[in-house]
């Protein structure tokens, strides 16, 4: 299992950041991903996703589950792919006294191989470590776009 984490401060209120990041909308233009969510968004909710707007996730589409849901504080999802599982945890904390300085967003991504050879995992470890860190860095870099999208749709 390989884990990477990073934090970025944004000037927005925690409630607005939560609305921009934690609520699964049918389509995310920033990520260019369509989500099909099974029921209300909360712990235990399942979803499937596919690249592109209006895409219809097929039988092999990645399946996800919300494994932790503490509104305005923490959301953690697990995405099951055939050879691996990806877990993404988003933690929000007020920055400064009472959130006067915005919100600190911490993103933690974990990659866990499913099956396969230990030798192959050992050989791939360096590349996977770099991929997981790049994923965290990319997600943190997209925060302003997610917040802008939420403001446009009236979610923030």
């Amino acid at each position: 299992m390989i884990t990477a984490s990073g934090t970025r401060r944004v000037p927005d209120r925690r409630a607005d950041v939560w609305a921009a990041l934690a609520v699964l909308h049918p389509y995310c233009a920033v990520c260019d991903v369509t989500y099909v969510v099974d029921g209300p968004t909360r712990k235990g909710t399942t979803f499937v996703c596919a690249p592109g707007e209006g895409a219809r996730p097929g039988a092999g589409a990645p399946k996800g589950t919300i494994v932790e849901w503490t509104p305005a504080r923490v959301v953690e999802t697990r995405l099951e792919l055939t050879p691996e599982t990806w877990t993404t945890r988003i933690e929000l904390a007020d920055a400064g006294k009472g959130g006067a300085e915005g919100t600190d967003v911490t993103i933690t991504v974990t990659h866990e191989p499913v099956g396969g050879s230990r030798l192959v995992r050992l050989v791939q470890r360096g590349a996977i470590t770099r991929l997981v860190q790049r994923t965290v860095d990319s997600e943190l870099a997209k925060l302003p776009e997610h917040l802008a999208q939420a403001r446009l749709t009236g979610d923030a």
Side-chain angles (χ1 to χ4, degrees):
M1 187 172 354
I2 297 170
T3 300
S5 187
T7 301
R8 179 172 180 173
R9 181 168 290 176
V10 294
D12 303 78
R13 296 177 324 122
R14 188 163 30 100
D16 294 336
V17 177
W18 177 261
L21 298 179
V23 178
L24 290 174
H25 297 283
Y27 175 69
C28 176
V30 175
C31 300
D32 191 28
V33 173
T34 293
Y35 294 98
V36 177
V37 182
D38 181 29
T41 308
R42 63 177 179 234
K43 183 177 178 177
T45 298
T46 59
F47 60 92
V48 292
C49 51
E53 184 173 10
R56 300 180 79 153
K63 296 177 183 169
T65 304
I66 297 174
V67 295
E68 186 172 346
W69 181 266
T70 305
R73 295 268 180 213
V74 177
V75 62
E76 184 173 332
T77 60
R78 182 176 52 244
L79 191 61
E80 310 271 343
L81 304 169
T82 302
E84 59 203 357
T85 299
W86 289 85
T87 304
T88 302
R89 181 178 179 87
I90 301 172
E91 298 174 81
L92 306 179
D94 289 337
K97 187 173 181 132
E101 297 176 32
T103 304
D104 286 332
V105 181
T106 300
I107 297 178
T108 304
V109 174
T110 300
H111 172 272
E112 186 173 3
V114 177
S117 156
R118 285 180 52 172
L119 178 59
V120 170
R121 287 197 302 261
L122 181 63
V123 169
Q124 293 177 339
R125 186 167 180 79
I128 296 294
T129 299
R130 289 187 297 277
L131 175 62
V132 172
Q133 186 60 58
R134 280 195 313 266
T135 301
V136 168
D137 296 343
S138 172
E139 292 303 316
L140 289 170
K142 289 190 273 186
L143 289 176
E145 291 175 81
H146 279 287
L147 289 160
Q149 177 180 264
R151 282 190 285 278
L152 284 174
T153 61
D155 291 330

